[in-house]
Amino acid sequence: MDGYLGSYALLGLVLAAGVLLFVAAFGANRLLRPARPAEPAGKRIPYESGIDPVGGDWAQAQIRYYVYAYLYVLFAVEAVFLFPWAIIFDRPGFGGAAIAEMGVFVAVLALGILYAWRKKILGWT
């Protein structure tokens, strides 16, 4: 499989193998599953950590949990971006440009955290 079209042929073979594996797995599932699955007593009742559930089945989630999760992801991405920057920082020709780039990046993140702080989004109630 050399040449220009060889790589496409290899890609086609891998895709065909993936589709074949998918069809084989679902076919095996259809052949091996029970025709009429049993419906044991109590299968459809609510279950909550081994005890009967208390209260209704609807609970309101606070938006602040999502805000904290979003901020965590934001700063985790920042940390991932800092590692490659730290690796190329000491190479010749990258010093000034790398510092300027990282300065802009950290400044934008600092503005975002300052905005969240001023809007009192980070305050836990």
Side-chain angles (χ1 to χ4, degrees), residues 3-111:
Y4 180 73
L5 293 178
S7 59
Y8 287 111
L10 182 62
L11 177 66
L13 285 175
V14 169
L15 287 174
V19 168
L20 184 65
L21 182 67
F22 179 81
V23 169
F26 275 92
N29 180 29
R30 184 171 284 273
L31 289 174
L32 297 175
R33 74 177 183 190
R36 291 183 161 263
E39 190 75 34
K43 180 176 181 179
R44 300 199 184 269
I45 63 170
Y47 180 77
E48 188 174 304
S49 302
I51 59 173
D52 291 332
V54 177
D57 59 351
W58 185 82
Q60 184 176 2
Q62 297 293 328
I63 190 66
R64 69 176 147 245
Y65 298 123
Y66 298 109
V67 171
Y68 278 99
Y70 180 71
L71 288 173
Y72 170 76
V73 168
L74 180 72
F75 286 105
V77 168
E78 175 193 7
V80 168
F81 186 66
L82 284 172
F83 286 118
W85 172 78
I87 289 173
I88 69 162
F89 176 67
D90 65 342
R91 292 187 184 164
F94 284 105
I99 287 179
E101 251 179 57
M102 192 50 61
V104 169
F105 181 71
V106 171
V108 168
L109 283 175
L111 284 173

